[in-house]
Amino acid sequence: MTVSRVSSRLSATRVALAGGIALSSVVLLSGTAFAHVSVQPQGEAAKGGYATVNIKVPNERDNASTVKVEVNFPLDHPLASVMPQPIPGWKAEVTKSKLSKPLELHGKKINEAVSKVTWTADGSKIGPGQFQQFPLSLGQLPEDADQLVLKAIQTYDNKEVVRWIEEQKEGAEEPQNPAPVLKLSAASDDHHGGAAPSASASSPAADDKAGHDDDSHEKKETAAADSSDTTARILGVIGILVGIAGVAFGVLAGRRRSA
């Protein structure tokens, strides 16, 4: 075998290897780019009001399942009421902490607030390729903050722990493990927010509006998920094309030089 043929084959191998690496990188990145623990309000989360939110927990691993989720609440903007909705197969535990400065809510002083909610698998788990939503009723939301940072800890059945506690800094890139952030909208007149528990029966018009808001939120969430999936698929296709082009170029180059 001549030196030129050996060189041609080595070149083709290198090009093919480069294409394969590009393909693997794109597929891996597209599969994990959007897999973060997040908090999403159902309707409106207005300052000074009440809201229902979903803690969305995706499984990032293909060889382990999520069996525990812990969400921490800031005590510098304490919430007097945090109530988890029962989830089949999961046990919820609410932890409260003493406040250095008591809260005043509806004319009453409150000396403690919820500092943590922990969900532990009890017959269920979040498997590879799956996600789970954990609904919470929150109130009264602070009036002197634009957002609440809810740091989360995710535990897998292989004992791996992922801490979603890194806060986003202004002007910086998104951190590797960003903490879930609940954005608060401007205070409403009734101070009950979009998902507040009502003390009296609501009017049909209000019910229709609430239903419309929920539908709009679901459509936006679905559209965002579809957009993320589409982006991941496009990136995957680009990676495949890069890999195929690399292999084809290497083979053609080898043939031309050997000829």
Side-chain angles (χ1 to χ4, degrees):
M1 183 178 294
T2 65
V3 175
S4 61
R5 289 186 178 180
V6 172
S7 178
S8 297
R9 291 187 178 182
L10 287 175
S11 298
T13 301
R14 289 170 183 168
V15 172
L17 180 60
I21 292 174
L23 169 62
S24 300
S25 300
V26 170
V27 172
L28 287 174
L29 290 173
S30 63
T32 60
F34 307 98
H36 296 335
V37 173
S38 60
V39 56
Q40 302 166 339
Q42 296 182 16
E44 186 180 27
K47 298 178 182 180
Y50 294 80
T52 298
V53 303
N54 287 324
I55 305 297
K56 186 176 181 180
V57 183
N59 191 325
E60 286 194 316
R61 304 294 179 259
D62 57 6
N63 60 350
S65 297
T66 297
V67 294
K68 185 178 179 181
V69 177
E70 176 184 311
V71 175
N72 295 273
F73 295 84
L75 291 180
D76 55 343
H77 294 293
L79 301 176
S81 175
V82 177
M83 296 186 295
Q85 178 177 314
I87 301 294
W90 293 85
K91 179 182 178 182
E93 180 182 359
V94 178
T95 302
K96 293 186 177 182
S97 298
K98 292 289 184 180
L99 297 175
S100 57
K101 183 180 179 180
L103 281 176
E104 186 169 340
L105 185 64
H106 303 308
K108 296 181 180 180
K109 286 189 175 181
I110 299 174
N111 296 313
E112 60 180 13
V114 174
S115 57
K116 179 173 63 177
V117 176
T118 305
W119 291 271
T120 305
D122 185 20
S124 184
K125 59 180 63 177
I126 308 174
Q130 299 178 344
F131 76 92
Q132 176 67 54
Q133 294 194 114
F134 299 92
L136 289 171
S137 175
L138 307 180
Q140 185 175 355
L141 298 174
E143 298 181 356
D144 57 348
D146 295 323
Q147 64 181 30
L148 291 177
V149 178
L150 310 181
K151 297 182 178 181
I153 299 176
Q154 182 177 12
T155 303
Y156 290 87
D157 56 8
N158 62 357
K159 308 303 181 183
E160 180 185 2
V161 177
V162 181
R163 301 179 182 276
W164 303 96
I165 62 174
E166 299 177 43
E167 297 189 36
Q168 177 71 52
K169 296 181 179 179
E170 186 176 356
E173 294 183 359
E174 183 183 56
Q176 183 176 357
N177 294 317
V181 176
L182 175 63
K183 300 289 186 179
L184 303 181
S185 59
S188 58
D189 294 336
D190 59 5
H191 276 212
H192 283 292
S198 176
S200 60
S202 59
S203 66
D207 291 339
D208 290 342
K209 184 179 184 299
H212 176 73
D213 290 343
D214 290 342
D215 290 343
S216 298
H217 177 71
E218 290 178 2
K219 289 178 180 178
K220 290 179 180 178
E221 190 172 306
T222 301
D226 291 343
S227 177
S228 298
D229 291 342
T230 301
T231 302
R233 290 172 183 169
I234 291 174
L235 291 174
V237 172
I238 292 173
I240 293 173
L241 293 176
V242 170
I244 294 174
V247 173
F249 178 79
V251 172
L252 290 174
R255 289 180 178 177
R256 288 176 180 175
R257 291 183 181 181
S258 61

